[in-house]
């Protein structure tokens, strides 16, 4: 009887397969290549998915994975999907860092509609002290002006974010983007109601930089 019970007993549910960053969920982990092409905040790191956010635009939406490793750095990951899919890693820089890395007059042109800002990072001690050198391109040109969207601290993959009587339920923002000439680096700026501004340094990398995935519980 025991033998028959074994044959027809309950099968264990198969473990969740995880082999592409688009499937990452909260609690999952990934490890990155230890190549010197990666900045120290990424090189050889094991990172855990702390949360998944959603950017909602008029005709599209995009997931953002918030990653934490052993250090204090918070890494933001999204996917840049064009002919090929690339990893877009970002870190936030504060106002003091922005003032040291860029000429503020040049930087302010990002918000002028007719300007098409060009930005060249300055050589500053902060680049070495905060390990920011490998997050920066040599020269940037603006490709995006005041694109309107909503930011949701929720994972809305495969479904539309809920609407309330006034429309959307997320935090409204305008985004600005500059790209370097080789399209390997970007500066992403988000301006929220009340003037709160997030500035991110973004680095585009091949999917193969992720060496391994571990599904969470």
């Amino acid at each position: 009887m025991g033998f028959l019970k074994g044959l027809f007993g309950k099968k264990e549910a198969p473990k969740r397969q995880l082999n592409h960053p688009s499937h990452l969920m909260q609690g999952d982990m990934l490890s990155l290549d230890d190549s010197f092409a990666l900045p120290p905040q990424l090189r050889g790191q094991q990172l855990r998915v702390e949360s998944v956010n959603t950017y909602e635009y008029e005709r599209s939406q995009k997931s953002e994975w918030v990653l934490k490793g052993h250090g204090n750095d918070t890494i933001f990951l999204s996917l840049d999907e064009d002919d090929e899919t690339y990893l877009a890693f970002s870190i936030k820089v504060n106002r003091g860092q922005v003032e040291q890395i860029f000429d503020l007059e040049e930087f302010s042109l990002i918000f002028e509609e007719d300007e098409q800002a060009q930005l060249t990072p300055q050589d500053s001690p902060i680049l070495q002290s905060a390990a920011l050198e490998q997050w920066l391109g040599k020269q940037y040109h603006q490709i995006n002006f005041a694109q309107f969207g909503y930011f949701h601290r929720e994972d809305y993959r495969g479904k539309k974010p809920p609407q309330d009587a006034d429309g959307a339920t997320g935090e409204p923002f305008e985004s600005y983007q500059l790209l370097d000439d080789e399209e390997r680096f970007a500066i992403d700026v988000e301006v929220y109601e009340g003037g709160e501004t997030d500035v991110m340094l973004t680095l585009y990398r091949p999917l193969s930089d992720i060496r391994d995935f571990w599904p969470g519980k």
Side-chain angles (χ1 to χ4, degrees), residues 8-172:
F8 300 109
K10 275 191 176 167
K11 282 202 172 80
E12 253 191 60
K15 284 209 164 59
R16 183 165 67 92
Q17 293 296 307
L18 182 56
N19 51 22
H20 193 276
S22 61
H23 302 146
L24 283 165
M25 294 167 74
Q26 188 174 1
D28 291 343
M29 294 195 67
L30 55 91
S31 70
L32 296 175
D33 196 21
D34 58 3
S35 154
F36 282 105
L38 289 171
Q41 296 91 333
L42 301 176
R43 190 183 310 145
Q45 291 288 332
Q46 283 189 6
L47 301 168
R48 181 180 184 274
V49 180
E50 297 289 311
S51 58
V52 186
N53 301 322
T54 304
Y55 284 93
E56 177 192 5
Y57 298 100
E58 190 184 357
R59 291 191 176 81
S60 64
Q61 60 192 59
K62 188 167 158 179
S63 298
E64 173 190 75
W65 293 270
V66 182
L67 308 176
K68 272 275 207 238
H70 298 305
N72 298 323
D73 301 299
T74 300
I75 307 291
F76 302 92
L77 169 66
S78 58
L79 296 177
D80 184 61
E81 297 175 279
D82 199 5
D83 298 339
E84 278 182 67
T85 300
Y86 286 91
L87 303 166
F89 290 111
S90 302
I91 53 170
K92 232 172 239 191
V93 283
N94 61 38
R95 185 183 166 86
Q97 292 171 315
V98 170
E99 287 177 0
Q100 291 182 65
I101 299 168
F102 302 107
D103 177 301
L104 276 193
E105 273 187 36
E106 276 186 13
F107 194 84
S108 66
L109 296 178
I110 293 172
F111 309 105
E112 302 290 332
E113 192 163 5
D114 305 324
E115 283 296 340
Q116 291 295 306
Q118 308 270 337
L119 269 188
T120 308
Q122 305 180 121
D123 198 14
S124 161
I126 196 169
L127 298 185
Q128 276 137 356
S129 63
L132 295 177
E133 284 170 301
Q134 285 182 278
W135 288 94
L136 287 163
K138 291 192 166 51
Q139 179 143 27
Y140 295 86
H141 56 278
Q142 188 161 355
I143 59 163
N144 201 348
F145 180 85
Q147 184 183 7
F148 185 75
Y150 293 95
F151 175 70
H152 303 266
R153 294 178 197 280
E154 288 283 338
D155 182 359
Y156 287 119
R157 274 175 290 184
K159 52 189 183 216
K160 200 143 175 48
Q163 308 281 308
D164 61 16
D166 301 325
T169 52
E171 300 170 45

